[in-house]
Amino acid sequence: MTTRTARAPRLDQACADAVDVAREGITEVDPADIGEHLEAIAEGDRLVTHFFASHLAGYLGWRWAVTVTRAPRARRVTVCETVLLPGPDALMAPGWLPWNERLQPGDLGVGDLMPTDPDDDRLAPGYVLSDDAAVEEVSWELGLGRARVMSQEGRMETAQRWYDGDSGPQAAISAGAPRKARCGTCGFYLPLAGSMRGMFGVCGNLYAPDDARAVSADHGCGAHSEVLLSSPETPVEELPTVYDDSEVESVAVSRAHGSVEAGEPEEGYGHS
């Protein structure tokens, strides 16, 4: 068995020399928008594409591509098509993405609507209808009355996102908190219901930075309910006061005029 390899097209010299013909094929633009000839590439038998630099505003790095050809045994070269193509270093807009893939967390604003796909992997059927009114009433009270609830995959994805973000133990506010100031032991920690209960809860401390937000049990901050409790003060032992009588100095006091001598009766104070 013999294998055949594709033969590379040979550059037709007549088509390659038709640079002026290719340049004249670029119409409906100002001649100043057409730059120097860059190269000629063989596309097939007697089929060559000429590339010219583009000076169009806003098209940095783009190139004019003009494909020319000629009939067999003919010398006259004609233009097939002209197009503006991006070059290797062209400035281009990012690839188009559907709107639901362009959305980022926090993009949804007031009045915006974001419908959910019917086959969203994060959701699963919430309940099965019953013809018993009592069963329906109980199922609704248990939270089973919703059409769809989060699937196991959706819960795991959410838990990982929360844990790796500002709600987890690696957040800056958590790393700077005391080692024992963890949300799971805080009086303001409100555990979630269901399978997320063991790992996440909602902060209910008005003064905490995560108030009304879901946090992991090993998250923490300085507003922990027990972080301000200080240990009982240890009384300081006071040394007894020591008096040295030998250091007492006797001072003689002179009696001024009018003083009462010793042995004389005491004088009244002048009032009753």
PDB file of all heavy atoms in Angstrom, residues 30-60:
ATOM      1  N   ASP A  30      -9.182  54.823   1.599  1.00  0.00           N
ATOM      2  CA  ASP A  30      -8.198  55.809   1.174  1.00  0.00           C
ATOM      3  C   ASP A  30      -6.878  55.101   0.880  1.00  0.00           C
ATOM      4  O   ASP A  30      -6.481  54.186   1.618  1.00  0.00           O
ATOM      5  CB  ASP A  30      -8.006  56.849   2.287  1.00  0.00           C
ATOM      6  CG  ASP A  30      -7.233  58.053   1.795  1.00  0.00           C
ATOM      7  OD1 ASP A  30      -5.998  57.915   1.653  1.00  0.00           O
ATOM      8  OD2 ASP A  30      -7.848  59.107   1.586  1.00  0.00           O
ATOM      9  N   PRO A  31      -6.180  55.487  -0.185  1.00  0.00           N
ATOM     10  CA  PRO A  31      -4.887  54.844  -0.496  1.00  0.00           C
ATOM     11  C   PRO A  31      -3.893  54.918   0.653  1.00  0.00           C
ATOM     12  O   PRO A  31      -3.008  54.060   0.777  1.00  0.00           O
ATOM     13  CB  PRO A  31      -4.397  55.619  -1.721  1.00  0.00           C
ATOM     14  CG  PRO A  31      -5.645  56.131  -2.373  1.00  0.00           C
ATOM     15  CD  PRO A  31      -6.583  56.444  -1.243  1.00  0.00           C
ATOM     16  N   ALA A  32      -4.021  55.938   1.502  1.00  0.00           N
ATOM     17  CA  ALA A  32      -3.097  56.057   2.634  1.00  0.00           C
ATOM     18  C   ALA A  32      -3.321  54.956   3.667  1.00  0.00           C
ATOM     19  O   ALA A  32      -2.454  54.711   4.511  1.00  0.00           O
ATOM     20  CB  ALA A  32      -3.258  57.425   3.294  1.00  0.00           C
ATOM     21  N   ASP A  33      -4.492  54.303   3.617  1.00  0.00           N
ATOM     22  CA  ASP A  33      -4.775  53.218   4.554  1.00  0.00           C
ATOM     23  C   ASP A  33      -4.149  51.896   4.131  1.00  0.00           C
ATOM     24  O   ASP A  33      -4.254  50.902   4.841  1.00  0.00           O
ATOM     25  CB  ASP A  33      -6.292  53.026   4.697  1.00  0.00           C
ATOM     26  CG  ASP A  33      -6.952  54.233   5.338  1.00  0.00           C
ATOM     27  OD1 ASP A  33      -6.275  54.923   6.119  1.00  0.00           O
ATOM     28  OD2 ASP A  33      -8.143  54.483   5.053  1.00  0.00           O
ATOM     29  N   ILE A  34      -3.508  51.873   2.956  1.00  0.00           N
ATOM     30  CA  ILE A  34      -2.867  50.659   2.454  1.00  0.00           C
ATOM     31  C   ILE A  34      -1.362  50.836   2.579  1.00  0.00           C
ATOM     32  O   ILE A  34      -0.783  51.739   1.978  1.00  0.00           O
ATOM     33  CB  ILE A  34      -3.260  50.379   0.993  1.00  0.00           C
ATOM     34  CG1 ILE A  34      -4.781  50.387   0.831  1.00  0.00           C
ATOM     35  CG2 ILE A  34      -2.676  49.055   0.532  1.00  0.00           C
ATOM     36  CD1 ILE A  34      -5.235  50.325  -0.611  1.00  0.00           C
ATOM     37  N   GLY A  35      -0.720  49.981   3.355  1.00  0.00           N
ATOM     38  CA  GLY A  35       0.718  50.104   3.588  1.00  0.00           C
ATOM     39  C   GLY A  35       1.548  49.310   2.614  1.00  0.00           C
ATOM     40  O   GLY A  35       1.112  48.976   1.505  1.00  0.00           O
ATOM     41  N   GLU A  36       2.735  48.990   3.043  1.00  0.00           N
ATOM     42  CA  GLU A  36       3.695  48.303   2.184  1.00  0.00           C
ATOM     43  C   GLU A  36       3.296  46.838   1.973  1.00  0.00           C
ATOM     44  O   GLU A  36       2.556  46.260   2.753  1.00  0.00           O
ATOM     45  CB  GLU A  36       5.094  48.368   2.795  1.00  0.00           C
ATOM     46  CG  GLU A  36       5.271  47.611   4.094  1.00  0.00           C
ATOM     47  CD  GLU A  36       4.799  48.379   5.323  1.00  0.00           C
ATOM     48  OE1 GLU A  36       4.160  49.457   5.153  1.00  0.00           O
ATOM     49  OE2 GLU A  36       5.035  47.896   6.438  1.00  0.00           O
ATOM     50  N   HIS A  37       3.821  46.286   0.875  1.00  0.00           N
ATOM     51  CA  HIS A  37       3.570  44.875   0.561  1.00  0.00           C
ATOM     52  C   HIS A  37       4.394  44.016   1.516  1.00  0.00           C
ATOM     53  O   HIS A  37       5.600  44.214   1.691  1.00  0.00           O
ATOM     54  CB  HIS A  37       3.955  44.591  -0.894  1.00  0.00           C
ATOM     55  CG  HIS A  37       3.679  43.182  -1.308  1.00  0.00           C
ATOM     56  ND1 HIS A  37       4.650  42.206  -1.327  1.00  0.00           N
ATOM     57  CD2 HIS A  37       2.527  42.585  -1.723  1.00  0.00           C
ATOM     58  CE1 HIS A  37       4.125  41.058  -1.731  1.00  0.00           C
ATOM     59  NE2 HIS A  37       2.825  41.269  -1.998  1.00  0.00           N
ATOM     60  N   LEU A  38       3.737  43.046   2.147  1.00  0.00           N
ATOM     61  CA  LEU A  38       4.394  42.224   3.159  1.00  0.00           C
ATOM     62  C   LEU A  38       4.893  40.904   2.602  1.00  0.00           C
ATOM     63  O   LEU A  38       6.065  40.551   2.783  1.00  0.00           O
ATOM     64  CB  LEU A  38       3.438  41.977   4.329  1.00  0.00           C
ATOM     65  CG  LEU A  38       2.934  43.224   5.073  1.00  0.00           C
ATOM     66  CD1 LEU A  38       1.928  42.833   6.143  1.00  0.00           C
ATOM     67  CD2 LEU A  38       4.103  43.996   5.670  1.00  0.00           C
ATOM     68  N   GLU A  39       4.035  40.157   1.941  1.00  0.00           N
ATOM     69  CA  GLU A  39       4.439  38.852   1.414  1.00  0.00           C
ATOM     70  C   GLU A  39       3.385  38.351   0.451  1.00  0.00           C
ATOM     71  O   GLU A  39       2.269  38.873   0.377  1.00  0.00           O
ATOM     72  CB  GLU A  39       4.628  37.838   2.553  1.00  0.00           C
ATOM     73  CG  GLU A  39       3.371  37.600   3.371  1.00  0.00           C
ATOM     74  CD  GLU A  39       3.575  36.565   4.470  1.00  0.00           C
ATOM     75  OE1 GLU A  39       4.511  35.734   4.325  1.00  0.00           O
ATOM     76  OE2 GLU A  39       2.808  36.580   5.452  1.00  0.00           O
ATOM     77  N   ALA A  40       3.753  37.279  -0.274  1.00  0.00           N
ATOM     78  CA  ALA A  40       2.835  36.598  -1.178  1.00  0.00           C
ATOM     79  C   ALA A  40       2.896  35.107  -0.868  1.00  0.00           C
ATOM     80  O   ALA A  40       3.993  34.532  -0.775  1.00  0.00           O
ATOM     81  CB  ALA A  40       3.202  36.868  -2.635  1.00  0.00           C
ATOM     82  N   ILE A  41       1.740  34.494  -0.714  1.00  0.00           N
ATOM     83  CA  ILE A  41       1.658  33.093  -0.323  1.00  0.00           C
ATOM     84  C   ILE A  41       0.847  32.339  -1.366  1.00  0.00           C
ATOM     85  O   ILE A  41      -0.235  32.784  -1.779  1.00  0.00           O
ATOM     86  CB  ILE A  41       1.009  32.939   1.073  1.00  0.00           C
ATOM     87  CG1 ILE A  41       1.869  33.629   2.130  1.00  0.00           C
ATOM     88  CG2 ILE A  41       0.820  31.474   1.424  1.00  0.00           C
ATOM     89  CD1 ILE A  41       1.270  33.579   3.523  1.00  0.00           C
ATOM     90  N   ALA A  42       1.359  31.187  -1.767  1.00  0.00           N
ATOM     91  CA  ALA A  42       0.658  30.348  -2.748  1.00  0.00           C
ATOM     92  C   ALA A  42      -0.469  29.601  -2.051  1.00  0.00           C
ATOM     93  O   ALA A  42      -0.252  28.892  -1.063  1.00  0.00           O
ATOM     94  CB  ALA A  42       1.636  29.358  -3.385  1.00  0.00           C
ATOM     95  N   GLU A  43      -1.697  29.765  -2.544  1.00  0.00           N
ATOM     96  CA  GLU A  43      -2.857  29.091  -1.991  1.00  0.00           C
ATOM     97  C   GLU A  43      -3.213  27.840  -2.804  1.00  0.00           C
ATOM     98  O   GLU A  43      -3.896  26.952  -2.297  1.00  0.00           O
ATOM     99  CB  GLU A  43      -4.058  30.050  -1.971  1.00  0.00           C
ATOM    100  CG  GLU A  43      -3.818  31.348  -1.215  1.00  0.00           C
ATOM    101  CD  GLU A  43      -3.788  31.179   0.297  1.00  0.00           C
ATOM    102  OE1 GLU A  43      -4.016  30.054   0.782  1.00  0.00           O
ATOM    103  OE2 GLU A  43      -3.528  32.179   0.990  1.00  0.00           O
ATOM    104  N   GLY A  44      -2.786  27.773  -4.042  1.00  0.00           N
ATOM    105  CA  GLY A  44      -3.081  26.657  -4.934  1.00  0.00           C
ATOM    106  C   GLY A  44      -2.424  26.888  -6.271  1.00  0.00           C
ATOM    107  O   GLY A  44      -1.583  27.803  -6.430  1.00  0.00           O
ATOM    108  N   ASP A  45      -2.761  26.101  -7.245  1.00  0.00           N
ATOM    109  CA  ASP A  45      -2.203  26.282  -8.580  1.00  0.00           C
ATOM    110  C   ASP A  45      -2.706  27.595  -9.170  1.00  0.00           C
ATOM    111  O   ASP A  45      -3.923  27.822  -9.296  1.00  0.00           O
ATOM    112  CB  ASP A  45      -2.594  25.121  -9.491  1.00  0.00           C
ATOM    113  CG  ASP A  45      -1.945  23.804  -9.050  1.00  0.00           C
ATOM    114  OD1 ASP A  45      -0.907  23.879  -8.351  1.00  0.00           O
ATOM    115  OD2 ASP A  45      -2.485  22.733  -9.377  1.00  0.00           O
ATOM    116  N   ARG A  46      -1.756  28.474  -9.513  1.00  0.00           N
ATOM    117  CA  ARG A  46      -2.060  29.795 -10.083  1.00  0.00           C
ATOM    118  C   ARG A  46      -3.012  30.586  -9.197  1.00  0.00           C
ATOM    119  O   ARG A  46      -3.871  31.326  -9.670  1.00  0.00           O
ATOM    120  CB  ARG A  46      -2.659  29.641 -11.506  1.00  0.00           C
ATOM    121  CG  ARG A  46      -1.718  28.959 -12.494  1.00  0.00           C
ATOM    122  CD  ARG A  46      -2.373  28.818 -13.856  1.00  0.00           C
ATOM    123  NE  ARG A  46      -3.615  28.056 -13.792  1.00  0.00           N
ATOM    124  CZ  ARG A  46      -3.665  26.711 -13.757  1.00  0.00           C
ATOM    125  NH1 ARG A  46      -2.553  26.001 -13.786  1.00  0.00           N
ATOM    126  NH2 ARG A  46      -4.829  26.079 -13.711  1.00  0.00           N
ATOM    127  N   LEU A  47      -2.846  30.416  -7.883  1.00  0.00           N
ATOM    128  CA  LEU A  47      -3.685  31.124  -6.899  1.00  0.00           C
ATOM    129  C   LEU A  47      -2.763  31.641  -5.794  1.00  0.00           C
ATOM    130  O   LEU A  47      -2.162  30.861  -5.045  1.00  0.00           O
ATOM    131  CB  LEU A  47      -4.742  30.191  -6.332  1.00  0.00           C
ATOM    132  CG  LEU A  47      -5.832  30.830  -5.470  1.00  0.00           C
ATOM    133  CD1 LEU A  47      -6.708  31.756  -6.320  1.00  0.00           C
ATOM    134  CD2 LEU A  47      -6.696  29.753  -4.808  1.00  0.00           C
ATOM    135  N   VAL A  48      -2.635  32.977  -5.687  1.00  0.00           N
ATOM    136  CA  VAL A  48      -1.685  33.604  -4.759  1.00  0.00           C
ATOM    137  C   VAL A  48      -2.404  34.699  -3.973  1.00  0.00           C
ATOM    138  O   VAL A  48      -3.217  35.453  -4.536  1.00  0.00           O
ATOM    139  CB  VAL A  48      -0.483  34.202  -5.529  1.00  0.00           C
ATOM    140  CG1 VAL A  48       0.440  34.957  -4.571  1.00  0.00           C
ATOM    141  CG2 VAL A  48       0.279  33.104  -6.258  1.00  0.00           C
ATOM    142  N   THR A  49      -2.084  34.778  -2.666  1.00  0.00           N
ATOM    143  CA  THR A  49      -2.644  35.833  -1.808  1.00  0.00           C
ATOM    144  C   THR A  49      -1.534  36.801  -1.436  1.00  0.00           C
ATOM    145  O   THR A  49      -0.480  36.393  -0.925  1.00  0.00           O
ATOM    146  CB  THR A  49      -3.268  35.249  -0.525  1.00  0.00           C
ATOM    147  OG1 THR A  49      -4.355  34.394  -0.888  1.00  0.00           O
ATOM    148  CG2 THR A  49      -3.776  36.352   0.379  1.00  0.00           C
ATOM    149  N   HIS A  50      -1.757  38.083  -1.720  1.00  0.00           N
ATOM    150  CA  HIS A  50      -0.822  39.151  -1.380  1.00  0.00           C
ATOM    151  C   HIS A  50      -1.292  39.826  -0.085  1.00  0.00           C
ATOM    152  O   HIS A  50      -2.483  40.094   0.106  1.00  0.00           O
ATOM    153  CB  HIS A  50      -0.760  40.189  -2.509  1.00  0.00           C
ATOM    154  CG  HIS A  50      -0.125  39.677  -3.761  1.00  0.00           C
ATOM    155  ND1 HIS A  50       1.228  39.766  -4.004  1.00  0.00           N
ATOM    156  CD2 HIS A  50      -0.667  39.031  -4.848  1.00  0.00           C
ATOM    157  CE1 HIS A  50       1.503  39.228  -5.181  1.00  0.00           C
ATOM    158  NE2 HIS A  50       0.369  38.774  -5.720  1.00  0.00           N
ATOM    159  N   PHE A  51      -0.351  40.116   0.804  1.00  0.00           N
ATOM    160  CA  PHE A  51      -0.658  40.768   2.068  1.00  0.00           C
ATOM    161  C   PHE A  51      -0.018  42.149   2.099  1.00  0.00           C
ATOM    162  O   PHE A  51       1.169  42.317   1.772  1.00  0.00           O
ATOM    163  CB  PHE A  51      -0.135  39.940   3.250  1.00  0.00           C
ATOM    164  CG  PHE A  51      -0.884  38.653   3.461  1.00  0.00           C
ATOM    165  CD1 PHE A  51      -0.440  37.468   2.899  1.00  0.00           C
ATOM    166  CD2 PHE A  51      -2.056  38.633   4.225  1.00  0.00           C
ATOM    167  CE1 PHE A  51      -1.124  36.287   3.096  1.00  0.00           C
ATOM    168  CE2 PHE A  51      -2.746  37.459   4.417  1.00  0.00           C
ATOM    169  CZ  PHE A  51      -2.282  36.284   3.855  1.00  0.00           C
ATOM    170  N   PHE A  52      -0.835  43.144   2.482  1.00  0.00           N
ATOM    171  CA  PHE A  52      -0.377  44.523   2.605  1.00  0.00           C
ATOM    172  C   PHE A  52      -0.652  44.995   4.029  1.00  0.00           C
ATOM    173  O   PHE A  52      -1.661  44.619   4.654  1.00  0.00           O
ATOM    174  CB  PHE A  52      -1.110  45.444   1.611  1.00  0.00           C
ATOM    175  CG  PHE A  52      -0.917  45.070   0.181  1.00  0.00           C
ATOM    176  CD1 PHE A  52      -1.752  44.145  -0.438  1.00  0.00           C
ATOM    177  CD2 PHE A  52       0.101  45.650  -0.572  1.00  0.00           C
ATOM    178  CE1 PHE A  52      -1.583  43.812  -1.776  1.00  0.00           C
ATOM    179  CE2 PHE A  52       0.278  45.310  -1.909  1.00  0.00           C
ATOM    180  CZ  PHE A  52      -0.562  44.390  -2.509  1.00  0.00           C
ATOM    181  N   ALA A  53       0.227  45.821   4.557  1.00  0.00           N
ATOM    182  CA  ALA A  53       0.016  46.390   5.890  1.00  0.00           C
ATOM    183  C   ALA A  53      -1.192  47.319   5.875  1.00  0.00           C
ATOM    184  O   ALA A  53      -1.466  47.991   4.872  1.00  0.00           O
ATOM    185  CB  ALA A  53       1.266  47.138   6.336  1.00  0.00           C
ATOM    186  N   SER A  54      -1.908  47.345   6.984  1.00  0.00           N
ATOM    187  CA  SER A  54      -3.090  48.207   7.097  1.00  0.00           C
ATOM    188  C   SER A  54      -2.783  49.374   8.016  1.00  0.00           C
ATOM    189  O   SER A  54      -2.204  49.200   9.090  1.00  0.00           O
ATOM    190  CB  SER A  54      -4.284  47.409   7.654  1.00  0.00           C
ATOM    191  OG  SER A  54      -5.362  48.268   7.933  1.00  0.00           O
ATOM    192  N   HIS A  55      -3.152  50.574   7.555  1.00  0.00           N
ATOM    193  CA  HIS A  55      -2.988  51.783   8.361  1.00  0.00           C
ATOM    194  C   HIS A  55      -4.332  52.325   8.838  1.00  0.00           C
ATOM    195  O   HIS A  55      -4.418  53.493   9.237  1.00  0.00           O
ATOM    196  CB  HIS A  55      -2.247  52.858   7.554  1.00  0.00           C
ATOM    197  CG  HIS A  55      -0.833  52.471   7.223  1.00  0.00           C
ATOM    198  ND1 HIS A  55      -0.087  53.107   6.254  1.00  0.00           N
ATOM    199  CD2 HIS A  55      -0.027  51.494   7.734  1.00  0.00           C
ATOM    200  CE1 HIS A  55       1.125  52.545   6.179  1.00  0.00           C
ATOM    201  NE2 HIS A  55       1.174  51.565   7.073  1.00  0.00           N
ATOM    202  N   LEU A  56      -5.352  51.508   8.789  1.00  0.00           N
ATOM    203  CA  LEU A  56      -6.663  51.935   9.260  1.00  0.00           C
ATOM    204  C   LEU A  56      -6.636  52.183  10.767  1.00  0.00           C
ATOM    205  O   LEU A  56      -6.054  51.399  11.521  1.00  0.00           O
ATOM    206  CB  LEU A  56      -7.724  50.881   8.942  1.00  0.00           C
ATOM    207  CG  LEU A  56      -8.258  50.826   7.506  1.00  0.00           C
ATOM    208  CD1 LEU A  56      -9.178  49.618   7.350  1.00  0.00           C
ATOM    209  CD2 LEU A  56      -8.988  52.110   7.158  1.00  0.00           C
ATOM    210  N   ALA A  57      -7.269  53.263  11.196  1.00  0.00           N
ATOM    211  CA  ALA A  57      -7.335  53.568  12.630  1.00  0.00           C
ATOM    212  C   ALA A  57      -8.148  52.493  13.353  1.00  0.00           C
ATOM    213  O   ALA A  57      -9.227  52.103  12.904  1.00  0.00           O
ATOM    214  CB  ALA A  57      -7.979  54.942  12.840  1.00  0.00           C
ATOM    215  N   GLY A  58      -7.597  52.000  14.447  1.00  0.00           N
ATOM    216  CA  GLY A  58      -8.289  50.982  15.223  1.00  0.00           C
ATOM    217  C   GLY A  58      -7.995  49.564  14.787  1.00  0.00           C
ATOM    218  O   GLY A  58      -8.531  48.617  15.377  1.00  0.00           O
ATOM    219  N   TYR A  59      -7.179  49.382  13.758  1.00  0.00           N
ATOM    220  CA  TYR A  59      -6.847  48.046  13.251  1.00  0.00           C
ATOM    221  C   TYR A  59      -5.345  47.819  13.316  1.00  0.00           C
ATOM    222  O   TYR A  59      -4.696  47.504  12.325  1.00  0.00           O
ATOM    223  CB  TYR A  59      -7.375  47.861  11.831  1.00  0.00           C
ATOM    224  CG  TYR A  59      -8.878  47.705  11.782  1.00  0.00           C
ATOM    225  CD1 TYR A  59      -9.705  48.827  11.715  1.00  0.00           C
ATOM    226  CD2 TYR A  59      -9.468  46.447  11.819  1.00  0.00           C
ATOM    227  CE1 TYR A  59     -11.079  48.700  11.679  1.00  0.00           C
ATOM    228  CE2 TYR A  59     -10.843  46.319  11.781  1.00  0.00           C
ATOM    229  CZ  TYR A  59     -11.644  47.442  11.720  1.00  0.00           C
ATOM    230  OH  TYR A  59     -13.014  47.308  11.693  1.00  0.00           O
ATOM    231  N   LEU A  60      -4.781  47.987  14.484  1.00  0.00           N
ATOM    232  CA  LEU A  60      -3.351  47.811  14.681  1.00  0.00           C
ATOM    233  C   LEU A  60      -2.962  46.345  14.463  1.00  0.00           C
ATOM    234  O   LEU A  60      -3.525  45.439  15.066  1.00  0.00           O
ATOM    235  CB  LEU A  60      -2.968  48.244  16.103  1.00  0.00           C
ATOM    236  CG  LEU A  60      -1.490  48.125  16.474  1.00  0.00           C
ATOM    237  CD1 LEU A  60      -0.654  49.063  15.607  1.00  0.00           C
ATOM    238  CD2 LEU A  60      -1.292  48.438  17.955  1.00  0.00           C
TER     239      LEU A  60
END
